[in-house]
Amino acid sequence: QAPGVGSLHHRDPLIRPQAPGQLAVAHVDGIDFFRSLLKQAIRKSAGGSAAIQADLPFGRNAKGVQGLFQLESAGMTNFMMQMKPDCFEDIIAGIALFRPGPMEQIPRYLAGKQDASSVVYEDEKLRHILDTTYGCMVYQEQVMQIVRDLAGYSYGRSDLIRRAMSKKKHDVMEKERVNFIEGIVEEDGTVSVPGAVRNGVPREVANRIFDEMMDFASYAFNKAHAACYAVVAYRTAYLKYYYPVEMMTALINSYIGSSEKIADYIYYCRKCGFTILPPDINRSEPRFTVENGAIRFGLAAIRNVGEDAMREILAERKANGDFKDIGDFLMRAPNVNKRMAEGLIKAGCFAGTGATRLWLIEHYEQEMNAAAAERKRRESGQLSLFEMLAEDEPYRSTVPEHHNEYPVDELLSMEKESLGIYISGHPLMEYEAELRLIGVTAKELSEQDGHGKYRDNDRVTLAGLLENVRTRPTKSNNGLMCYGVVEDMTGQIEFAAFPTVYSKSTSLFNGTAPVRVTGRLSMREDKANTIMIDEITPLEKVERYRLYLRFNDQNRDKRQHAVNVLRRYPGEHEVVFYDTADGKQQLAPRELCVSGAAALTEVLGNLLGEQNVKLVKQK
């Protein structure tokens, strides 16, 4: 916390001028690594301090909630978009509400936030307790205060209520109903607990309030717990907003070993415009690093390559300089085995030395044997006079200047095999327009929990590659069930297909070409989300068009009307505005891209004149 800055309060705006170097990120395992990145960023900024901007890390200019502690699931993302948090209390409440039980209060909370006049209290005594959560019971502490203020409970007795809620003791809560409503009178006539009725709360109202507390008790959340989560969520949002590359690099490093999560974050980084640099034997560190504003892939994330082994290799690089080629590398790294060498080659780590992966794969075993023989010869002392004089010269491979390379699809396959993800490209990149038209991703479907956009048994359509495909006979032995995952550029989701579907499209299930699948989304608490495929077809490219709209003195005043029409027909075809006044063409923003619907050109033709609307096919 920066000097002179007070602690966060429930109605504080989300941006406070805190010193970035002192913010902790519990969401990231490599906190020390993140801090080192942050220090580098601060040293490079003018004056050595962070530049504080007016925009909010949760506001409209933020890059979403991906990577934010507790806030990055699909359901929570949707909730945050609806809530539009503008104060610290909103984040605390959001974390506490997005749980089974309290989740039922979300519509009421959102309605109260958007319109304070819609908030209704069962009794006016609840106003000062529930005003910050718009009349909703969200925290255990609120229930404790309700029983104290309405029924006269002591602090100690109200804590008993809290403990009963936290341990889900419904029988204890039910016994307290009479105490809450009628109070407690000792044998000598002393009123130890007045009860809600004695304090002026109508019995029917007291019963309704207690009913709500009982419903809430099943999943009651402690506000102190939620506030701690919210602080970390806010700090990750702050760091991501002001130091996005460093933040995402640290997040990726916290998931070393999980190629699926790394692929998820790398896809997100690309969407944000961050450059992902491939692994390089002379540039990469064991973990992901920031390099000139880009993210460099870490060597330890390569399959069959251990972090300890990479640290030894990088210590050699630091001591004696860059590796000149594969031969120099193998000579100076005697502990590298064949699996490690092959993994480094397939990941493209030696691209900077000038050798193609095809040549390296064909010759690396030969190079390993030659390097081992050379080390043995030098260690035995069997050197001529001239060799003794040249002993410090690096051992070099004879790499041809020009050599054939694998086709692009094979290079991508090698990257996927060694890295678990695609780095230099993706087999689906040429289908990005088609994927956008489908409008749903594997990541989105895999994270659905029944409370977001999709429900159990909803029909969905997804496009991607089928991976890990396998078959198994049915219990009745009447055919083969097919299982695997559908993978797109965002992640993957499991699929299953019954024998009738699999038998009709065996070649598509077992092929390597992109496919389009439709089926029922199955959600089970004990299993990962699965698409039960009932239809599968090859993914085909759509024809691309460009819509040209000409504006002149007769129709220029109708331009905004035309824009409104475009918004009603979203799609993938670009729109170009042409104004005869200055003769300039202007490409419309992506959000105005349209479908090729005939109704669109007809409506625009009637509005602007048919001669001013042209749909041109792109080559």
Side-chain angles (χ1 to χ4, degrees), residues 88-163:
F88 192 59
E89 180 71 32
D90 282 345
I91 308 174
I92 301 174
I95 289 172
L97 280 167
F98 199 75
R99 296 161 54 80
M103 192 175 284
E104 296 176 4
Q105 298 271 18
I106 286 178
R108 183 176 165 191
Y109 183 94
L110 294 175
K113 179 174 171 57
Q114 293 163 8
D115 179 13
S117 65
S118 68
V119 178
V120 177
Y121 300 96
E122 288 283 358
D123 189 277
E124 192 60 28
K125 292 183 177 68
L126 294 175
R127 181 181 294 276
H128 72 287
I129 303 172
L130 303 179
D131 64 337
T132 60
T133 53
Y134 309 104
C136 302
M137 291 184 197
V138 178
Y139 314 113
Q140 292 177 2
E141 289 88 342
Q142 287 177 317
V143 173
M144 292 170 66
Q145 190 172 358
I146 288 171
V147 297
R148 289 199 308 270
D149 291 7
L150 273 67
Y153 278 42
S154 66
Y155 276 88
R157 193 171 190 91
S158 69
D159 190 56
L160 293 175
I161 295 288
R162 180 197 62 79
R163 279 187 276 177

Side-chain angles (χ1 to χ4, degrees), residues 15-37:
I15 281 292
R16 298 300 298 264
Q18 294 172 304
Q22 295 174 318
L23 292 178
V25 187
H27 190 33
V28 181
D29 291 336
I31 292 176
D32 291 337
F33 175 80
F34 178 83
R35 284 178 174 170
S36 69
L37 293 176

